[in-house]
Amino acid sequence: MSTTVADRRPASLRLALGAFLVFWLILAAFPFLWTLWGSFKVEGDFFSRADWMNAVSGTLTEAETGAPFTGDGYYGAWVQEEFWRAGLNTVIVTVSVVVISLTFGTLGGYALSRSPYRYAFWLLIIALVFRAMPPITLVSGYLLPFFEWNLWGHLPTTIIVLVAINQPFTLWMLTSFFRNIPKDLDESAMVDGCSRFQAFRHVIIPVMWPGVITTGLFSFLLAYNDFAVTSMLLSRENLTMVPKIESFLGTTQTRGNVMFAVASVVSVTAPLFILVMFFQRQIVSGLTAGAVKG
Amino acid sequence: MKHRSFFWFFLPTATAMLLFIAFPIVSVLIQSVYAPHEQVIIEVENCGPFGCTATTTVDQEATRALREAQPMGRFVGLDIYFNRAHLAVSEIGALWTAAPDLGTFFSRLLGLPFYGALSFTLTYTFLVTPFSLMLGFVIALSVNALPRILRGPTIFFSLLPMIVTPLVGGLILFWMIDSRGVLGAFFQYLSGDPDLSVKASTPMMWVMLIVYGIWSSAPFAFVVYYAGLQTVPQDTLESAMIDGATRWQRIRYVMLPHLLPLTTFMALIKIMDNFRVFEPIISFQASAHAQSLSYFIYSDLGGETRLLSSAAATSVLTIIGIVILLSPVLVRTWRSFGKA
């Protein structure tokens, strides 16, 4: 888009907008940089009673460990408290959730996008209502049956629950995506003698990847960021990273555990940074996909 | 698409949603009208029909047998909905007759756990939603004025508060506003009160939670508005300029109407998301000052005594609440589909 007349702004306005933007960027990014910096300090510096400048200079860190930076928080969290186990669980849960919910979602979303009947619309409305319900309300429905049938605490249970909670959103997103793929494409394949599934397999699957990747990113975020389901449905040894952080907070009486939490918070945030860095375009297009079309 | 092939394509997702969303709703409904068996009930059988006081001699075996025979508990109808922890009908009646004026009545009403949680949830939803949309719109306007080369990095940093795990984002802010943290120290400097602590005061906790909410949901509004601004018709803008419209008038009469459908869409999404506010209360350890409906359910479910029935009743009330909130949208969608 070229700069048009309407885009030209007086210098004073541009200055004001620029200043506001700098303020917002500080607001958005500073907390993360501060916590990253502080995670290499000891607790007395990051939570400084005397002077907040200690967190920058690391006075106590130097006195306690002999260097201005220390990896004690990371060592304590990852090795001592076995945060790597939680990390492994998170990998298992997120990968399975993304793969399964995309498989279910592409099939269902494709069906919804190609059905001219009224029930397809009603299914989407039901999905919208399901999407609106806070996951924790469902969790109170899971607990009793899961205890009864000994399903509670295991990773597969949590995976399938997260897949289900993910479905409404996945369906909405993929339906709107498949609607943008011209019907003629698969219908002409069916005229040539393909069955519906063959048409899907040979014609739709090769062209669907951009939409699937975008949807997959959001499924990943949902599974990775979830706290309500994972903290209630997993036993202590099966916890994923996010509820594990919360368990560090529960034991703040013992010194040093807050710094474990700080270190693990940074560890949890790092993959998200990388994700945004590589997939910024897809995330932005995914956020706007449903909206801009109205 | 034929009904038969639709069925097979839709089967996996339908099964997942039926088993793990629809059935749990039924399960929650059923649980909410059953209460756990009380141990004393068994005692009555053991020590005769009369004069049996509540001693500690509980018949463990019979209790267990009863619990195994009827794992749902005993049927109590709507009692749980009306008890003190939920709708508290009789307590409200008592408050109404006892309170000297409306103000006292409402302040005492909010002291009841369910109404306290409801009031925080609604306050949070209806403050965070409009403010985050406004902030997002201003950010979008500012980014739109940036040279193209700077936009990418700006969007990257702006996305962070939204992408990051809610629990983690909450913790990061909470550690900074701790009275020993960097922002806490700054607040103490500003107010001149060295003992100022956000954690200790209910109004400040509410403000912090709402600030966190705006911080974490503004990026979504920003990204959607930014994409919307790219589609504003330039011809209309230019003709408005030729007609002598000022910058503000162009925003007010050209851009905002163009962005209205986006705004309704985002308001819908944000109301759904904000109504389930939960993680920040855990991160801020704010449960003493502010409880949301989701947190209320969570605290019933957690801990040693899992109050499943109580949680189930709150869940049903929460679901009813979200359906009421969304009903205008649902009705509108239904009507627009009827026309098309």
Side-chain angles (χ1 to χ4, degrees):
Chain A
M1 197 178 63
S2 64
T3 311
T4 57
V5 190
D7 278 346
R8 231 171 274 145
R9 292 165 182 83
S12 61
L13 182 69
R14 243 183 299 163
L15 202 69
L17 288 178
F20 171 78
L21 211 53
V22 169
F23 171 72
W24 160 250
L25 284 180
I26 291 175
L27 213 62
F30 175 70
F32 297 101
L33 300 176
W34 178 259
T35 312
L36 173 68
W37 178 270
S39 67
F40 294 101
K41 305 287 177 187
V42 294
E43 192 184 345
D45 275 338
F46 189 55
F47 296 101
S48 181
R49 261 177 232 286
D51 182 3
W52 65 269
M53 273 301 289
N54 279 355
V56 180
S57 58
T59 323
L60 283 175
T61 314
E62 199 145 11
E64 280 180 35
T65 62
F69 295 99
T70 170
D72 284 357
Y74 290 92
Y75 181 83
W78 281 88
V79 181
Q80 221 167 298
E81 295 289 328
E82 301 198 317
F83 197 64
W84 59 269
R85 212 181 279 275
L88 202 64
N89 287 334
T90 300
V91 172
I92 297 173
V93 169
T94 48
V95 169
S96 326
V97 168
V98 169
V99 170
I100 301 175
S101 62
L102 284 182
T103 314
F104 288 10
T106 40
L107 291 172
Y110 174 70
L112 286 176
S113 72
R114 292 296 187 262
S115 174
Y117 298 105
R118 209 179 167 88
Y119 58 77
F121 165 78
W122 283 112
L123 287 172
L124 278 173
I125 291 291
I126 294 173
L128 180 71
V129 175
F130 284 169
R131 157 77 174 78
M133 289 188 327
I136 191 92
T137 57
L138 296 173
V139 170
S140 52
Y142 297 139
L143 285 179
L144 194 61
F146 285 4
F147 284 139
E148 286 291 309
W149 300 327
N150 267 333
L151 292 171
W152 186 85
H154 308 298
L155 287 179
T157 318
T158 306
I159 290 170
I160 191 71
V161 164
L162 284 175
V163 165
I165 290 180
N166 223 342
Q167 278 306 300
F169 170 77
T170 315
L171 278 181
W172 268 87
M173 199 138 166
L174 285 171
T175 305
S176 81
F177 173 74
F178 279 124
R179 276 189 187 143
N180 284 351
I181 299 181
K183 265 185 188 166
D184 309 347
L185 219 57
D186 35 332
E187 271 164 14
S188 60
M190 286 170 71
V191 169
D192 290 348
C194 280
S195 70
R196 178 57 86 169
F197 187 77
Q198 281 170 328
F200 177 73
R201 167 77 190 77
H202 296 291
V203 179
I204 298 297
I205 286 185
V207 298
M208 73 178 185
W209 293 109
V212 169
I213 288 173
T214 307
T215 316
L217 280 171
F218 286 91
S219 303
F220 169 83
L221 285 176
L222 182 132
Y224 189 84
N225 287 345
D226 178 83
F227 173 74
V229 173
T230 47
S231 73
M232 296 306 306
L233 290 189
L234 287 173
S235 56
R236 268 197 94 68
E237 57 272 20
N238 278 340
L239 284 183
T240 53
M241 291 204 280
V242 176
K244 181 86 176 172
I245 294 177
E246 200 253 356
S247 73
F248 287 151
L249 298 177
T251 53
T252 33
Q253 297 90 341
T254 23
R255 191 174 125 76
N257 271 4
V258 170
M259 290 322 284
F260 293 180
V262 176
S264 47
V265 155
V266 174
S267 316
V268 167
T269 316
L272 293 174
F273 258 71
I274 296 165
L275 186 86
V276 182
M277 223 178 266
F278 282 101
F279 293 103
Q280 181 174 333
R281 183 191 301 269
Q282 281 83 355
I283 292 174
V284 169
S285 77
L287 285 175
T288 50
V292 177
K293 286 193 296 287
Chain B
M1 186 180 246
K2 288 197 199 76
H3 296 302
R4 174 188 289 273
S5 45
F6 181 88
F7 174 78
W8 287 112
F9 271 96
F10 203 68
L11 185 66
T13 178
T15 319
M17 288 200 287
L18 204 63
L19 282 181
F20 292 98
I21 301 183
F23 284 177
I25 296 176
V26 177
S27 153
V28 163
L29 274 172
I30 295 172
Q31 261 177 52
S32 67
V33 291
Y34 283 90
H37 294 291
E38 286 166 23
Q39 295 180 315
V40 279
I41 296 178
I42 313 300
E43 270 184 306
V44 180
E45 289 176 356
N46 282 344
C47 57
F50 306 110
C52 199
T53 49
T55 55
T56 46
T57 54
V58 177
D59 189 343
Q60 297 288 358
E61 209 169 292
T63 312
R64 206 180 311 123
L66 181 64
R67 285 193 181 154
E68 265 166 30
Q70 294 170 288
M72 291 306 305
R74 62 201 160 86
F75 182 78
V76 291
L78 293 178
D79 282 2
I80 299 175
Y81 288 98
F82 294 129
N83 72 10
R84 191 183 178 280
H86 299 96
L87 292 178
V89 180
S90 54
E91 281 81 358
I92 289 181
L95 283 183
W96 181 251
T97 44
D101 55 274
L102 268 180
T104 0
F105 172 70
F106 277 114
S107 69
R108 284 182 193 161
L109 181 67
L110 298 185
L112 291 168
F114 177 78
Y115 292 97
L118 183 67
S119 75
F120 175 76
T121 310
L122 289 177
T123 315
Y124 182 90
T125 308
F126 287 106
L127 283 178
V128 168
T129 308
F131 278 114
S132 62
L133 288 184
M134 275 189 263
L135 179 61
F137 182 64
V138 181
I139 301 170
L141 280 180
S142 323
V143 172
N144 213 26
L146 272 186
R148 192 149 285 272
I149 188 149
L150 290 178
R151 291 186 190 178
T154 315
I155 294 175
F156 170 77
F157 284 110
S158 304
L159 281 176
L160 292 178
M162 176 192 68
I163 292 292
V164 76
T165 317
L167 187 87
V168 163
L171 279 174
I172 287 176
L173 289 197
F174 177 67
W175 288 329
M176 288 173 77
I177 60 158
D178 188 280
S179 56
R180 298 166 295 157
V182 60
L183 279 181
F186 181 62
F187 291 150
Q188 286 164 357
Y189 168 77
L190 277 189
S191 65
D193 173 8
D195 295 322
L196 183 83
S197 168
V198 174
K199 278 189 271 185
S201 122
T202 301
M204 275 165 77
M205 210 72 221
W206 281 46
V207 170
M208 276 320 298
L209 284 167
I210 287 165
V211 166
Y212 164 80
I214 296 171
W215 180 74
S216 62
S217 37
F220 173 62
F222 151 61
V223 168
V224 176
Y225 275 133
Y226 177 69
L229 283 178
Q230 312 307 312
T231 67
V232 172
Q234 293 297 317
D235 302 349
T236 324
L237 275 184
E238 275 172 34
S239 39
M241 271 182 85
I242 294 166
D243 289 349
T246 61
R247 186 167 297 280
W248 166 245
Q249 283 170 331
R250 289 203 300 273
I251 292 183
R252 171 71 188 80
Y253 295 106
V254 180
M255 287 186 182
L256 284 185
H258 179 77
L259 297 175
L260 187 67
L262 292 191
T263 310
T264 13
F265 164 80
M266 280 191 289
L268 168 73
I269 301 274
K270 282 286 104 180
I271 287 175
M272 293 199 277
D273 287 349
N274 291 330
F275 196 74
R276 62 175 66 160
V277 52
F278 167 51
E279 284 101 335
I281 297 182
I282 292 184
S283 308
F284 283 65
Q285 294 166 12
S287 54
H289 303 292
Q291 288 216 347
S292 70
L293 290 172
S294 291
Y295 187 85
F296 197 43
I297 300 170
Y298 172 81
S299 65
D300 271 352
L301 289 178
E304 289 299 304
T305 54
R306 296 180 185 267
L307 304 170
L308 293 182
S309 306
S310 166
T314 318
S315 300
V316 172
L317 293 172
T318 308
I319 294 173
I320 294 173
I322 195 79
V323 169
I324 292 174
L325 275 185
L326 287 184
S327 56
V329 184
L330 292 179
V331 169
R332 217 191 53 166
T333 320
W334 185 71
R335 283 216 188 113
S336 70
F337 184 78
K339 268 182 235 151

